[in-house]
Amino acid sequence: MKTDDLIRALAADSAPQRAPRVTAALALGLATVIAAAVFFAALGPRPDIDNAAQTIRFLFKFVVTLALGVSAFGVLFRLSIPGASSEHALRLLLIAPVLLAGGVLLELAVTPRTSWEPRLVGTNSMLCMTFIPLIAIGPLIAFLGFLRTTAPTRPMLGGAIAGLVAGGLAATFYAAHCPDDSPLFVAVWYSLAIATLALAGALIGRRCLRW
């Protein structure tokens, strides 16, 4: 059977078969438990989290990371369905960058120019670059494992999206510890850490998601 014929045959299956919702939910649940376990074992919430939770900048970090995680998970789910179009879902990935860009512009507008560099550099950039990927390792494996139970036709893209989901989840946990709340910091360091995971996912996906 040719590959195109096989894809059409898989796409013609019933909805429950085409869309493994239970498997996806299990992967997400497992990834969340692993991320939480690593986060609380290695870091935990910041000491002033009660006060920080009353500030817009702190809460905005979660808006951005959750927007990325949710939208990327939607794309991941679509990519797990053979023959399903993912173009509309891929456009949803713009939500988090647009939100973050808006936060950065607002930050630049309301803070003096002299504070821009200190806010961007922050106080824990290396901790951010270390622990977002560390927290995301288990979730990335879980999401790649989920894709292996399906029939993704774009392995590199699937792997990259798995990295984005894992990165968004890990960044959401890490944000509870991170003392740097400026959107400038998030735009640089969170983005670099998550981009590293997307690249790693793409490279792994190219090898382990072929079928």
Side-chain angles (χ1 to χ4, degrees):
M1 180 182 290
K2 294 182 179 179
T3 300
D4 291 344
D5 295 334
L6 178 58
I7 293 173
R8 282 193 290 270
L10 290 170
D13 286 345
S14 61
Q17 292 173 316
R18 288 188 295 111
R21 292 179 175 83
V22 173
T23 308
L26 288 174
L28 180 59
L30 177 62
T32 303
V33 169
I34 294 173
V38 174
F39 171 73
F40 284 105
L43 295 173
R46 55 196 274 183
D48 65 338
I49 192 169
D50 289 340
N51 293 328
Q54 300 177 38
T55 66
I56 294 177
R57 285 184 177 88
F58 178 78
L59 296 176
F60 182 69
K61 293 190 297 185
F62 296 93
V63 172
V64 173
T65 58
L66 286 172
L68 174 63
V70 171
S71 60
F73 186 74
V75 177
L76 187 76
F77 187 74
R78 294 294 296 175
L79 289 173
S80 72
I81 307 172
S85 173
S86 59
E87 300 307 316
H88 175 69
L90 282 169
R91 287 196 289 270
L92 295 178
L93 292 177
L94 294 173
I95 294 174
V98 168
L99 287 171
L100 186 54
V104 167
L105 291 175
L106 183 59
E107 181 86 335
L108 296 177
V110 301
T111 58
R113 185 181 296 269
T114 54
S115 72
W116 292 355
E117 183 177 350
R119 288 172 183 268
L120 184 150
V121 174
T123 59
N124 283 280
S125 57
M126 290 303 99
L127 197 69
C128 173
M129 291 292 293
T130 299
F131 276 95
I132 289 180
L134 182 62
I135 295 170
I137 291 174
L140 177 58
I141 293 172
F143 294 128
L144 289 171
F146 159 65
L147 285 179
R148 280 184 62 85
T149 67
T150 65
T153 58
R154 303 161 77 178
M156 282 195 70
L157 179 61
I161 298 300
L164 288 180
V165 183
L169 179 62
T172 299
F173 278 101
Y174 177 75
H177 173 84
C178 181
D180 297 295
D181 297 336
S182 172
L184 292 169
F185 183 90
V186 175
V188 174
W189 302 108
Y190 281 48
S191 297
L192 282 174
I194 293 170
T196 300
L197 289 160
L199 177 60
L203 294 176
I204 297 171
R206 183 176 63 178
R207 300 182 67 89
C208 77
L209 297 180
R210 290 178 179 176
W211 58 281

